[in-house]
Amino acid sequence: MSLLKLTFLGTSAAQPTLHRNLSGLAVKADTDLLLFDCGEGSQRQMVRFGTGFTVDAVFFTHFHADHYLGIIGFLRTLGMMGREHAIHLYGPPPARRLLHQAVHLGVEAMSFPIEIHEVKDGDVIRRDGYALHVVGVDHRINALAYALVEDGRPGRFNVEKARELGVPPGPSFGKLQKGEAVTLEDGRTVKPEDVLGPPRAGRRVVISGDTRPCAAVVNASKDADLLIHESTFSDDEQERAQETHHSTAREAAWVAREAGARRLILTHLSSRHDTDPAKLLNQAREEFKGPLEVAYDGLTLELPLRDE
């Protein structure tokens, strides 16, 4: 996988504001386009920020209304656009019941197949070049985080070493880079490990969904390239955070620090921090010293390969 691009469609908690839509994140993973949550208005945000509509799968963290009601209009729009191939919807129970109701709201049948999958903590969803690891979290209802984990890549190809061993440039180089042994004209065999450096780890992105700070997200975020963690409240709203099973910005930063995450983005902001999230940012910075920012609608970033 080469391209890993994220676009924040909505960064507000519970209710939309003039500046922030409800939860939604678009992830372009090579040719795949994935959505994580689909709050009301997500499809308009996709038009606004140019993500396109060729979505392969939608991953719901949980089924509070602000995280999934946008799927109703989104699916209808796909139908009007002439979609024919299936879309896959993933989420914790009761995904089948709730999403079935959403899919069939209205009088017209959908023009393309919709596959609904219930997933739980520990499940792994394989895709081409990467996998989605499902992580149970601590919220008021059944809720999940997702870790997008890229497959490891072969080590760097040592051209000089290959030439020294008599490997002719061209197709033989390509075979070795793909992990295939090559037999030379003199009968000798050159193995991939003869010319490749140590394997290189793939990228890891963790999306917390709504949760209290918890060990499960810490473990899933070990050495993550990016942790996207909800930060609904500030320090002076700690009691409210515990009552609603959300996190403060400081707690999100604690998770990132404990995990050794390389970068942290805060999202899912209470409306009181809508236009001025400086308090959240400052409190998080006291806990986490790595790259840190507060998401905003339209924030787009590409994660480079680890060795770039």
Side-chain angles (χ1 to χ4, degrees):
M1 184 170 71
S2 55
L3 178 65
L4 187 52
K5 180 179 179 181
L6 296 82
T7 302
F8 286 81
L9 304 175
T11 56
S12 182
Q15 60 188 31
T17 71
L18 284 174
H19 306 94
R20 297 179 185 270
N21 201 63
L22 295 174
S23 292
L25 175 71
V27 177
K28 186 71 172 173
D30 266 348
T31 58
D32 288 355
L33 180 59
L34 314 175
L35 286 186
F36 291 87
D37 287 331
C38 189
E40 293 172 77
S42 289
Q43 61 175 322
R44 184 178 182 278
Q45 298 291 82
M46 295 170 76
V47 173
R48 182 182 177 192
F49 302 127
T51 64
F53 279 77
T54 58
V55 174
D56 298 279
V58 184
F59 298 87
F60 296 95
T61 60
H62 65 294
F63 292 105
H64 278 146
D66 57 315
H67 287 257
Y68 87 99
L69 286 186
I71 195 65
I72 299 171
F74 174 68
L75 293 175
R76 292 292 168 181
T77 294
L78 293 185
M80 288 189 288
M81 295 174 72
R83 183 176 179 125
E84 297 179 348
H85 61 283
I87 189 169
H88 294 266
L89 310 180
Y90 297 86
R96 285 196 180 93
R97 175 174 61 83
L98 289 180
L99 291 176
H100 183 270
Q101 292 171 347
V103 165
H104 295 285
L105 186 65
V107 297
E108 294 182 358
M110 298 302 298
S111 60
F112 58 93
I114 298 171
E115 304 289 341
I116 300 173
H117 311 269
E118 286 190 348
V119 291
K120 63 184 184 305
D121 178 55
D123 286 348
V124 178
I125 303 156
R126 282 294 318 169
R127 298 191 66 85
D128 187 18
Y130 65 98
L132 279 303
H133 294 248
V134 183
V135 181
V137 298
D138 179 8
H139 195 41
R140 285 173 291 167
I141 62 173
N142 196 6
L144 304 171
Y146 293 97
L148 189 158
V149 183
E150 182 182 25
D151 293 351
R153 294 180 296 136
R156 286 188 176 278
F157 182 64
N158 190 326
V159 176
E160 300 261 337
K161 182 65 174 176
R163 286 176 174 158
E164 286 177 12
L165 293 171
V167 180
S172 294
F173 276 21
K175 286 184 178 180
L176 287 165
Q177 288 175 300
K178 292 176 184 177
E180 301 173 21
V182 170
T183 301
L184 305 181
E185 289 184 359
D186 60 8
R188 289 182 299 119
T189 298
V190 178
K191 299 177 182 178
E193 54 264 33
D194 296 330
V195 294
L196 295 179
R200 293 173 286 178
R203 290 161 289 187
R204 175 182 287 259
V205 177
V206 178
I207 301 153
S208 78
D210 287 9
T211 182
R212 289 289 297 146
C214 61
V217 177
V218 172
N219 292 334
S221 305
K222 293 291 186 184
D223 194 36
D225 296 78
L226 174 62
L227 169 59
I228 300 169
H229 202 289
E230 73 121 297
S231 56
T232 311
F233 298 113
S234 61
D235 286 352
D236 54 346
E237 302 164 289
Q238 180 69 53
E239 185 176 338
R240 180 66 175 155
Q242 292 173 321
E243 176 188 340
T244 59
H245 281 250
H246 283 291
S247 295
T248 66
R250 184 182 299 278
E251 289 171 330
W254 176 88
V255 171
R257 189 192 72 205
E258 289 296 299
R262 300 179 177 212
R263 181 176 182 181
L264 172 63
I265 295 183
L266 306 176
T267 190
H268 198 266
L269 276 58
S270 166
S271 58
R272 71 178 63 189
H273 305 291
D274 178 29
T275 58
D276 185 12
K279 180 187 290 188
L280 301 182
L281 191 61
N282 292 336
Q283 290 170 359
R285 279 183 173 150
E286 292 177 2
E287 294 290 329
F288 180 70
K289 304 307 180 184
L292 166 66
E293 58 199 298
V294 175
Y296 55 86
D297 289 14
L299 172 63
T300 300
L301 58 138
E302 288 189 31
L303 288 185
L305 295 169
R306 283 206 166 190
D307 56 342
E308 288 185 354

